[in-house]
């Protein structure tokens, strides 16, 4: 089966990125959230954690467990997660509402401990400082035009790692940039493009 050339119509006739129609759970996420600007330290910390948990898995797996993650990680409050103990890690390893991966759970706690040392708004400013100039990025026409990494995501990854963040490779950093609206990778003909 060949990949669609570009945006495809959904049941409502709206053109969407093909992945946005690949599962019912994706439609609202694609239409109202993915690619729209996200600000706030805790909100960006949540996305950073979820993108790390997604590594090696389908985003749909994470999306379907998002509320479980939010409950398990205290709404992704950076100070709350930074205060997690080894007992909390062990508790999370038995929580079936999340992905029970010790390395990713421990990375989330470690990342909160790094983030809690930053000034208020500093994580937001740090991440957004790597947003590329949209004028220099042509709109992708097909999914094949969407990169897995960019020079900006590589630089963001290096900066985060230098500060002590974990599970933040260039591909994860780019997925974060896409999800949080630092880049608009909705396809050229997608109805959601430019709505950020």
């Amino acid at each position: 089966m060949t990949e669609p050339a570009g945006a495809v119509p959904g049941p409502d006739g709206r053109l969407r990125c093909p992945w946005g129609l690949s599962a019912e759970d994706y439609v609202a996420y694609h239409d109202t959230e993915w690619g729209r600007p996200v600000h706030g330290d805790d909100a960006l910390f949540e996305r950073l954690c979820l993108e790390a948990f997604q590594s090696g898995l389908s985003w749909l797996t994470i999306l379907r467990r998002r509320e479980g993650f939010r409950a398990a990680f205290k709404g992704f409050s950076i100070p709350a997660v930074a205060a997690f103990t080894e007992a909390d890690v062990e508790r999370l390893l038995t929580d079936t509402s999340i992905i029970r991966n010790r390395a990713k759970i421990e990375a989330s706690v470690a990342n909160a401990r790094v983030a809690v040392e930053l000034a208020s708004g500093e994580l937001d400013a740090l991440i957004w400082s790597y947003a590329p100039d949209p004028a220099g990025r042509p709109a992708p026409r097909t999914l094949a035009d969407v990169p897995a990494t960019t020079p900006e995501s590589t630089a963001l990854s290096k900066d985060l790692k230098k500060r002590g963040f974990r599970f933040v490779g260039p591909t994860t950093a780019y997925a974060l940039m896409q999800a949080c609206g630092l880049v608009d990778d909705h396809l050229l003909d997608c109805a959601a493009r430019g709505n950020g």
Side-chain angles (χ1 to χ4, degrees):
M1 185 167 121
T2 61
E3 188 175 285
V8 294
D12 58 2
R14 262 185 92 168
L15 290 175
R16 292 180 176 86
C17 302
W19 68 265
L21 292 168
S22 62
E24 189 176 325
D25 295 323
Y26 275 152
V27 176
Y29 177 71
H30 169 274
D31 289 359
T32 64
E33 190 172 350
W34 190 78
R36 304 220 176 184
V38 173
H39 285 284
D41 293 342
D42 287 349
L44 287 165
F45 175 67
E46 173 186 358
R47 303 303 177 78
L48 189 65
C49 290
L50 293 178
E51 293 297 346
F53 272 99
Q54 186 271 330
S55 181
L57 301 171
S58 158
W59 177 247
L60 190 57
T61 301
I62 303 304
L63 193 59
R64 288 178 173 164
R65 294 177 184 225
R66 191 172 190 184
E67 292 310 313
F69 274 109
R70 285 177 170 163
F73 284 91
K74 309 287 187 203
F76 290 97
S77 161
I78 293 170
V81 178
F84 278 13
T85 64
E86 184 56 37
D88 290 302
V89 171
E90 294 302 322
R91 171 183 55 82
L92 292 172
L93 286 169
T94 66
D95 188 336
T96 58
S97 70
I98 67 168
I99 304 301
R100 294 171 293 168
N101 178 297
R102 180 179 290 277
K104 293 176 182 181
I105 291 168
E106 289 176 344
S108 296
V109 175
N111 290 347
R113 291 178 181 157
V114 173
V116 81
E117 296 300 321
L118 301 174
S120 178
E122 192 175 351
L123 181 60
D124 185 306
L126 166 67
I127 291 171
W128 276 90
S129 73
Y130 288 95
D133 179 358
R137 300 187 84 245
R141 293 181 177 278
T142 70
L143 293 179
D145 296 333
V146 178
T149 64
T150 62
E152 294 87 0
S153 75
T154 300
L156 173 58
S157 170
K158 285 180 182 175
D159 193 344
L160 290 169
K161 285 179 180 179
K162 180 180 73 179
R163 294 167 188 266
F165 285 92
R166 294 164 33 190
F167 269 93
V168 289
T171 303
T172 298
Y174 193 65
L176 174 75
M177 294 171 80
Q178 291 174 303
C180 296
L182 281 76
V183 296
D184 184 353
D185 275 346
H186 285 285
L187 300 183
L188 179 64
D189 296 330
C190 176
R193 181 159 183 88
N195 289 330

